[in-house]
Amino acid sequence: MRKANHCFRFIGLVIVLFFGRESYSQEKYHWVNELSPSIQFSFQPETRSFFIEFFDKNAQKQTIQTLVGIGPEFVFDGVACSSKELSIVPVETKMDKSTLICFYEVRYQERKETFSLLIDLPRSFEINDSITIHNSDKDKIVNARTNENKANRPIRIRNEQSLKDSKETQKTHWQQNSINVDNCRSQNDFHSSQGLLGEIQIQIQSNSTNIQAVRSGLTLTKEKWVRFCSRRYGEAYAQPFWPRTAYFPSWGIFLDAAWSLEKSQGTCWDENDDNRFSGQNDFVTCPGVLYQPKLNGERSPVDETLTLRIGNDLWQTVPLPKQKSSEFLDEMKTMIYLDLWSGTALEAKNFLQNLSRLTQHKIRFLTVFQNWECGGWDALLPDSILMPDYPPNPRIGTIDDLIELSNFARTQGRFALRTNYVFLREQSPSYQTGKAHFALDHQGKAKWHIRLSEIDSILNRQEEEIKTLFHPNATFSDQLTSGAAPWAYHDYNPEQPIPPQINAVLKKQRDLTQQLKKSQNGPLGSESLMDEHLLGEFVDFGDFGIYDGFHRSLTPEFKLRRLQHLSVFYGMGLMYRFFEMPPFDHFHSGKHDFLSNIEYRDDYRASEILYGNGAYFFYLGYNDSKEIPWDYVLTEALLVGTLQKYYLGEKIDSVSYWFENRWQSLTELLEKGIDPTVPVWVPQSEALKRIKVIYQNGLHLIVNRLDEEFPVEYSSTNQVILPKSGWIAWKEDGSLLAFSAKPQNHDFRIDFIEDRNQRFQYLDPRKSSFLDCDKPTLWIENEKFNLDYNEAEMGNSLRL
């Protein structure tokens, strides 16, 4: 695709950056203010270029030149839709002033055609409910009407023979709406609106079923720019091909563009589109949308909505997700996540009993028992149980043992049994009886997953059986959120009721989450939480997957500012995944040591707290040398489990990075060319390894992932020393202090929390002695509890 772009230079969408004060009517498409007097628009017909002059953040006059269309791009002969009509509809806008010139490329069989739409928004202006480009042999008409004369005002773009005649008309039109920048009231007017300066949504539709792709096109610029991947989809693996928010440092302006997944009838985004981090020339605004055909050769009709947002603040320009927060968020803030992957049901109960006892019954638990399925681990998916022929895995115990575990776990909080309704095995009863079939890819080959249309009957039968036998009060279903974008689950069989459309598959995914939550009347969890469109009201909790985060520089900012309020995120993913990339060679070969390596465990926890995630236990059941020590377990439960109540679901005030001996913002790092989301094989920036987070509720947090120690004063008379992977959290009123660091006048690192609001204190001196304690100790309302335990005896309960 990229080679073709070099051969046929096209402009899919030209974005003209605009600046001005945000003031708009609640009516759609209605602008109430005049153009900002600090902006000048002009059009040069000889070069067919559009100019916008404005003052940047330094009050210097700047000019953007936008190519309106050279040669054939400006001619409508041979519109891609053939005899079909294609319409572009402004569906919503929050701009009060601008001029936007849009060029769209559509692929039709083996040909590419480009057609354009001019949206002219000078002064008060109202756009009709639809703007349609009609296909005719000669003229293509864009209809609009002004508020001034309430009459249609056609802008006619003629064919090549008529193009010369239209130049003077266009020249006059643009000159009439030009404003002399020398007469502006203030060169700093554009600063009067901080944050989001404008937003517009443009809908592109066609009845044609032969269109192969719709492109967002190019942003034309000669200014330097950098682009930050501000999407959860690209965060877990540091993949470069997801939408990026562009930043123009010399202007102090951000541009965010993305297609709506909820409305898209395409099959997927094109990962081969321009994914450069920085440059000083034109760039692809965001990945295009591909329309791959079903196996009968038919494509879906085009229906896409592109949202463009422009602002001078990064986190007001990047949009918030549209879904609601989880209704279980407040409850789960008080729970820690036990992710139990091995062992018997009675061993799991024993572990939970010991942990509850040692924490003085002050902690509540969200327990997910993973390895219980009929036939063994993932052997017969999507079937986990089908009585009486397919009971739970007998190696974990009897049905009565599972009932006993469920009964006790529910007294401690929430309990769920793992399912997976997506993965399909040929040995499964559902496949053998013809109730489940493999989805087909676009070449007709069987995929790894089931047809989505066949899940309902299996899910309803199985969840009812689980409910009747075990009475869980939560549910967990794997791979709902670890497959990332909806197109991972397409089925190209034309006979299937769910077409290979992004919006159709996303809707089905969301419907399945509601069925699962309703079935057990509780929260739903899933793995990795990589699909941001399923968070919040759809998937309530899960581990937060960051692959090989141990070797990566990390920024928590997107997660904290755009996802924190949606669901409860625990840990930093399945523990072995935080220390290497797929295919996880060290883990699968048994050479890993993350369970016993204190450096690894400390960095996992420091990153967990940096990202504002909850306490997480990941147990696999290995030999004694690879068990997580009980002091680590207690600290995770009592320290992180207490601290998390102050940050889970809370809003962020600021995030800053220690670089060049001072705290700097992410925007400042972008200006210096630092890419905050790079894969592990790229040199990592030290600017992202010492980070300060301040929450709106007054909680301060500093995390140090650099080798050098870092002193932190948390009051006028007190400080700690943060070693590598050390951290401190505190409130300035003295009500809360927590750290994993060297306290003042102490040479050894300890783990400590004091919560005066709850009259609660916990200390792990880490084999040293502090406050006259040499073992993990807990104080509740001034009563002291020595958390003494027999390591060998307790280890048996860990070996699940």
Side-chain angles (χ1 to χ4, degrees):
M1 187 68 67
R2 187 172 293 170
K3 292 180 179 179
N5 290 348
H6 290 306
C7 296
F8 306 93
R9 175 172 174 85
F10 72 94
I11 304 176
L13 169 64
V14 177
I15 299 164
V16 179
L17 301 182
F18 72 97
F19 305 80
R21 292 163 296 177
E22 183 178 9
S23 176
Y24 54 89
S25 166
Q26 296 301 310
E27 283 183 70
K28 286 184 178 182
Y29 326 129
H30 186 207
W31 284 262
V32 296
N33 283 359
E34 293 186 355
L35 292 171
S36 169
S38 61
I39 299 174
Q40 178 180 0
F41 296 99
S42 60
F43 179 74
Q44 188 179 77
E46 291 78 13
T47 60
R48 295 178 196 162
S49 295
F50 171 76
F51 294 85
I52 179 171
E53 292 184 342
F54 61 93
F55 287 93
D56 65 14
K57 62 182 180 181
N58 299 314
Q60 300 296 313
K61 189 166 74 171
Q62 305 291 348
T63 301
I64 300 175
Q65 178 179 356
T66 303
L67 196 64
V68 177
I70 296 296
E73 285 95 352
F74 206 60
V75 181
F76 284 90
D77 294 339
V79 170
C81 294
S82 186
S83 61
K84 303 293 184 180
E85 177 186 271
L86 188 143
S87 63
I88 300 175
V89 184
V91 294
E92 183 178 352
T93 183
K94 293 181 179 178
M95 291 196 297
D96 63 314
K97 55 194 75 69
S98 177
T99 300
L100 192 67
I101 303 178
C102 305
F103 292 81
Y104 292 93
E105 179 212 43
V106 179
R107 296 180 64 83
Y108 179 68
Q109 294 179 354
E110 298 303 320
R111 296 187 295 112
K112 281 192 302 187
E113 304 289 351
T114 303
F115 54 93
S116 64
L117 165 67
L118 170 64
I119 304 177
D120 176 29
L121 308 176
R123 302 181 183 278
S124 298
F125 191 78
E126 184 175 347
I127 301 176
N128 286 338
D129 289 338
S130 67
I131 294 180
T132 304
I133 296 178
H134 300 279
N135 178 38
S136 62
D137 293 333
K138 295 182 179 180
D139 295 347
K140 307 303 183 284
I141 303 173
V142 178
N143 286 320
R145 63 186 177 87
T146 66
N147 288 330
E148 298 170 357
N149 55 28
K150 304 296 182 182
N152 287 335
R153 183 184 62 176
I155 304 174
R156 298 179 180 270
I157 308 299
R158 303 180 182 278
N159 58 22
E160 187 68 35
Q161 290 76 15
S162 304
L163 188 58
K164 183 177 180 180
D165 298 335
S166 67
K167 287 183 179 179
E168 290 303 317
T169 301
Q170 293 185 52
K171 180 179 180 180
T172 301
H173 169 73
W174 284 99
Q175 286 178 341
Q176 286 175 347
N177 293 307
S178 176
I179 297 176
N180 191 333
V181 73
D182 296 329
N183 296 327
C184 66
R185 290 193 301 266
S186 169
Q187 295 183 351
N188 294 312
D189 274 358
F190 116 89
H191 286 296
S192 61
S193 176
Q194 295 297 320
L196 179 67
L197 299 178
E199 173 187 284
I200 189 168
Q201 293 181 351
I202 302 174
Q203 187 175 12
I204 308 165
Q205 295 176 315
S206 173
N207 294 326
S208 173
T209 57
N210 293 309
I211 295 175
Q212 296 180 356
V214 177
R215 299 284 173 190
S216 67
L218 302 179
T219 296
L220 302 186
T221 181
K222 293 183 179 180
E223 291 296 314
K224 290 184 179 180
W225 50 265
V226 293
R227 294 195 294 173
F228 168 49
C229 185
S230 54
R231 298 293 187 274
R232 173 65 182 142
Y233 291 114
E235 181 178 46
Y237 295 95
Q239 294 166 324
F241 46 76
W242 298 95
R244 292 177 170 234
T245 301
Y247 177 52
F248 299 88
S250 61
W251 297 334
I253 287 296
F254 295 89
L255 168 66
D256 185 87
W259 305 98
S260 167
L261 292 189
E262 293 91 343
K263 300 175 182 179
S264 174
Q265 293 190 172
T267 52
C268 62
W269 291 341
D270 187 357
E271 66 180 50
N272 294 315
D273 264 335
D274 182 2
N275 52 48
R276 291 171 295 160
F277 164 66
S278 61
Q280 193 173 357
N281 50 18
D282 307 345
F283 60 87
V284 174
T285 308
C286 69
V289 185
L290 302 182
Y291 277 69
Q292 297 168 324
K294 302 175 187 177
L295 292 176
N296 62 359
E298 183 181 84
R299 293 176 172 85
S300 298
V302 167
D303 194 344
E304 299 296 333
T305 299
L306 181 69
T307 300
L308 308 172
R309 293 166 64 92
I310 300 175
N312 51 27
D313 178 86
L314 172 59
W315 295 114
Q316 293 193 46
T317 306
V318 176
L320 279 167
K322 296 179 181 179
Q323 60 265 38
K324 300 176 183 177
S325 300
S326 164
E327 64 266 42
F328 299 100
L329 192 147
D330 288 339
E331 177 190 356
M332 289 187 299
K333 286 175 62 173
T334 66
M335 295 182 175
I336 64 177
Y337 182 10
L338 306 185
D339 198 2
L340 308 180
W341 280 60
S342 188
T344 69
L346 293 183
E347 286 172 338
K349 178 191 173 187
N350 181 48
F351 167 65
L352 188 54
Q353 285 177 320
N354 281 331
L355 189 53
S356 178
R357 173 178 58 85
L358 286 172
T359 57
Q360 300 300 311
H361 312 290
K362 293 296 183 181
I363 303 295
R364 292 181 63 76
F365 303 94
L366 174 59
T367 305
V368 176
F369 194 68
Q370 301 272 354
N371 185 24
W372 73 285
E373 304 152 318
C374 58
W377 182 264
D378 281 0
L380 302 178
L381 295 179
D383 302 297
S384 298
I385 187 173
L386 183 58
M387 296 294 289
D389 297 327
Y390 297 91
N393 181 3
R395 299 178 70 176
I396 60 94
T398 66
I399 287 181
D400 288 340
D401 292 341
L402 265 179
I403 292 173
E404 187 175 337
L405 169 62
S406 175
N407 289 342
F408 180 74
R410 283 183 282 116
T411 68
Q412 305 301 304
R414 295 274 184 175
F415 176 73
L417 291 167
R418 174 187 188 261
T419 60
N420 185 333
Y421 291 103
V422 180
F423 206 97
L424 179 59
R425 300 281 193 185
E426 291 184 356
Q427 298 84 3
S428 74
S430 294
Y431 182 84
Q432 294 292 326
T433 58
K435 296 179 181 178
H437 301 81
F438 286 98
L440 302 178
D441 66 16
H442 64 282
Q443 296 178 331
K445 298 178 181 179
K447 300 178 70 177
W448 58 275
H449 62 86
I450 191 175
R451 294 172 178 170
L452 294 185
S453 60
E454 296 174 337
I455 292 179
D456 286 15
S457 60
I458 299 172
L459 184 152
N460 291 332
R461 187 273 309 164
Q462 183 162 273
E463 289 298 322
E464 183 61 32
E465 196 162 346
I466 291 172
K467 180 178 180 180
T468 301
L469 283 171
F470 308 115
H471 306 288
N473 55 0
T475 185
F476 181 95
S477 199
D478 202 358
Q479 292 188 305
L480 285 175
T481 55
S482 58
W487 49 80
Y489 306 102
H490 280 335
D491 186 354
Y492 289 85
N493 187 339
E495 298 178 358
Q496 289 307 299
I498 301 176
Q501 295 177 185
I502 295 172
N503 59 356
V505 172
L506 178 59
K507 182 180 184 304
K508 182 60 180 178
Q509 288 177 295
R510 288 177 167 180
D511 289 345
L512 290 173
T513 66
Q514 298 307 300
Q515 287 178 257
L516 284 164
K517 292 171 68 169
K518 185 178 180 181
S519 66
Q520 307 305 342
N521 192 30
L524 167 65
S526 194
E527 185 179 301
S528 299
L529 301 185
M530 288 160 51
D531 187 338
E532 62 192 71
H533 287 78
L534 291 181
L535 299 176
E537 60 186 295
F538 304 106
V539 175
D540 306 279
F541 73 91
D543 62 277
F544 185 79
I546 292 286
Y547 294 85
D548 206 1
F550 180 72
H551 296 103
R552 284 168 55 187
S553 296
L554 300 172
T555 170
E557 202 150 349
F558 170 71
K559 186 267 181 180
L560 291 175
R561 293 186 183 275
R562 286 297 172 265
L563 304 181
Q564 182 80 342
H565 67 290
L566 292 176
S567 302
V568 174
F569 304 85
Y570 292 100
M572 294 301 290
L574 305 187
M575 210 164 185
Y576 67 93
R577 298 179 181 178
F578 184 74
F579 301 104
E580 58 179 322
M581 282 285 189
F584 312 114
D585 291 334
H586 280 80
F587 173 73
H588 290 301
S589 65
K591 297 178 181 178
H592 67 89
D593 62 350
F594 65 86
L595 292 171
S596 58
N597 189 317
I598 191 171
E599 180 184 0
Y600 281 20
R601 296 198 308 266
D602 279 340
D603 191 64
Y604 184 94
R605 179 176 289 158
S607 300
E608 168 184 273
I609 292 173
L610 173 64
Y611 270 80
N613 296 340
Y616 177 71
F617 294 93
F618 174 72
Y619 289 129
L620 293 169
Y622 289 105
N623 57 50
D624 290 341
S625 65
K626 293 194 174 183
E627 296 296 353
I628 298 180
W630 262 96
D631 51 6
Y632 181 90
V633 174
L634 291 172
T635 299
E636 187 74 3
L638 290 168
L639 193 160
V640 183
T642 301
L643 179 62
Q644 70 183 36
K645 300 172 186 177
Y646 290 92
Y647 58 67
L648 288 178
E650 295 295 327
K651 293 182 179 180
I652 293 298
D653 181 72
S654 66
V655 181
S656 52
Y657 306 81
W658 185 260
F659 186 56
E660 298 173 335
N661 294 315
R662 65 184 181 91
W663 293 110
Q664 303 188 45
S665 68
L666 183 59
T667 298
E668 290 176 286
L669 298 188
L670 290 172
E671 290 179 355
K672 293 176 170 65
I674 296 173
D675 188 349
T677 50
V678 295
V680 70
W681 49 85
V682 173
Q684 303 295 303
S685 172
E686 292 193 348
L688 300 165
K689 291 192 174 182
R690 189 174 286 160
I691 302 177
K692 177 169 64 176
V693 180
I694 301 177
Y695 289 80
Q696 290 186 9
N697 64 7
L699 180 68
H700 289 62
L701 169 70
I702 296 178
V703 175
N704 176 43
R705 298 180 74 223
L706 290 174
D707 292 333
E708 298 81 12
E709 293 185 339
F710 187 65
V712 176
E713 292 185 358
Y714 60 89
S715 73
S716 59
T717 58
N718 294 285
Q719 74 168 15
V720 297
I721 304 297
L722 302 186
K724 184 178 182 180
S725 302
W727 56 270
I728 179 172
W730 76 97
K731 284 198 167 186
E732 292 183 336
D733 63 4
S735 62
L736 178 71
L737 173 65
F739 58 79
S740 181
K742 296 178 181 179
Q744 196 162 301
N745 301 320
H746 192 70
D747 295 331
F748 301 96
R749 176 176 183 163
I750 69 170
D751 300 307
F752 176 82
I753 186 169
E754 181 182 16
D755 183 351
R756 294 184 178 179
N757 296 316
Q758 301 183 59
R759 303 181 67 186
F760 176 98
Q761 184 172 297
Y762 169 77
L763 164 69
D764 178 5
R766 293 198 176 202
K767 312 301 182 184
S768 69
S769 179
F770 191 75
L771 298 180
D772 297 324
C773 301
D774 59 4
K775 290 186 177 180
T777 306
L778 174 66
W779 293 263
I780 300 177
E781 296 185 352
N782 296 322
E783 183 177 0
K784 183 178 180 180
F785 299 89
N786 293 315
L787 304 182
D788 206 359
Y789 52 82
N790 183 305
E791 185 78 46
E793 179 183 344
M794 298 301 290
N796 291 329
S797 67
L798 277 177
R799 195 165 54 254
L800 298 180

